[in-house]
């Protein structure tokens, strides 16, 4: 876990490693929470976008499954890749329930999703004794997603398109403020005295 102070408010920005994302998903209390956490950490959605996703928003394309975000920040449309297992879970939820396929999968308020992330972070502080989890918020999941993609050598311009960022400076300053732990490990491997 990487952390950095916010410039103008208390608290810290948090970037999770891939294994820490898995740990967070494992403590989710049920399918709805797990989907909410995964939409942030695996698809880069903002909390307001998480509560709008429906089974109809998952589409197959020639290159794989994508999630349509109809009204992102500024009411802008975008498409972002979605992991196959998350797409399958969303489809299963849609098939299982009696609601129509255009009903949100996470049918909660943004405040509820924020509370879920805070509660999961608090639980992980107790389980791991790592106080860093206490700073975790839903936007950190989006920040983590962007950083992990760049760390996996996905073209930054493509990450910006998938995430709905138009300005490189904003993307760099607010989302890529820390190198992923994986990138740091690759760097450390090059230092023979470590």
């Amino acid at each position: 876990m990487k952390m950095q102070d916010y410039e103008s408010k208390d608290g810290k920005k948090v970037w999770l490693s891939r294994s820490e994302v898995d740990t967070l998903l494992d403590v989710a209390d049920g399918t709805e929470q797990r989907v909410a956490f995964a939409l942030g950490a695996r698809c880069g959605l903002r909390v307001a976008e998480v509560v709008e996703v429906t089974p109809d928003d998952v589409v197959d394309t020639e290159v794989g499954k994508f999630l349509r975000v109809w009204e992102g920040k500024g009411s802008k449309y975008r498409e972002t890749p979605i992991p196959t297992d998350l797409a399958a879970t969303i489809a299963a939820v849609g098939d299982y329930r009696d609601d129509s396929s255009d009903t949100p999968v996470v049918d909660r308020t943004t405040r509820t999703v924020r509370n879920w992330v805070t509660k999961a972070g608090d639980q992980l502080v107790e389980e791991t004794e790592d106080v860093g989890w206490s700073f975790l918020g839903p936007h950190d999941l989006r920040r983590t997603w962007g950083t992990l993609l760049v760390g996996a050598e996905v073209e930054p311009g493509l990450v910006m398109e998938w995430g709905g960022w138009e300005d490189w400076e904003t993307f760099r300053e607010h989302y890529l403020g820390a190198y992923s732990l994986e990138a740091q490990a690759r760097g450390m491997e090059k230092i023979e005295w470590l």
Side-chain angles (χ1 to χ4, degrees), residues 19 41 46 48 52 61 63 84 98 117 119 126 128 133 159 177 180:
S19 65
R46 298 170 180 94
E52 297 294 323
T61 72
V63 296
T84 305
D98 291 332
V117 173
K119 183 178 176 183
E126 288 183 29
T128 66
W133 287 105
V159 177
S180 70

Side-chain angles (χ1 to χ4, degrees), residues 163-174:
W165 293 287
E166 294 179 356
D167 178 83
W168 168 252
E169 286 301 314
T170 299
F171 178 62
R172 173 69 185 109
E173 183 176 331
H174 297 288

Side-chain angles (χ1 to χ4, degrees), residues 25-66:
L25 295 175
D26 287 344
V27 300
D29 186 14
T31 302
E32 195 173 26
Q33 276 189 25
R34 187 173 175 86
V35 167
F37 296 170
L39 287 169
R42 301 277 195 234
C43 298
L45 269 57
R46 298 170 180 94
V47 69
E49 298 165 347
V50 166
V51 299
E52 297 294 323
V53 172
T54 72
D56 284 348
D57 297 334
V58 178
V59 296
D60 286 310
T61 72
E62 292 180 19
V63 296
K65 294 192 179 294
F66 274 76

Side-chain angles (χ1 to χ4, degrees), residues 5-11 13 174:
D5 289 332
Y6 282 107
E7 289 182 21
S8 59
K9 66 178 184 177
D10 290 338
K13 297 177 186 177
H174 297 288

Side-chain angles (χ1 to χ4, degrees), residues 128-144:
T128 66
E129 298 182 4
D130 183 346
V131 72
W133 287 105
S134 68
F135 296 103
L136 186 69
H139 205 73
D140 295 316
L141 305 181
R142 176 173 165 79
R143 181 177 294 116
T144 293

Side-chain angles (χ1 to χ4, degrees), residues 99-171:
D99 298 325
S100 67
S101 60
D102 63 351
T103 301
V105 176
V106 180
D107 197 13
R108 305 293 175 153
T109 65
T110 57
R111 179 180 296 235
T112 297
V113 174
R114 284 184 182 94
N115 290 338
W116 286 347
V117 173
T118 299
K119 183 178 176 183
D122 291 344
Q123 179 181 339
L124 288 167
V125 168
E126 288 183 29
E127 290 179 11
T128 66
E129 298 182 4
D130 183 346
V131 72
W133 287 105
S134 68
F135 296 103
L136 186 69
H139 205 73
D140 295 316
L141 305 181
R142 176 173 165 79
R143 181 177 294 116
T144 293
W145 172 80
T147 301
L148 290 177
L149 288 179
V150 171
E153 299 181 3
V154 175
E155 160 63 39
L158 189 54
V159 177
M160 288 176 62
E161 180 179 318
W162 290 341
W165 293 287
E166 294 179 356
D167 178 83
W168 168 252
E169 286 301 314
T170 299
F171 178 62

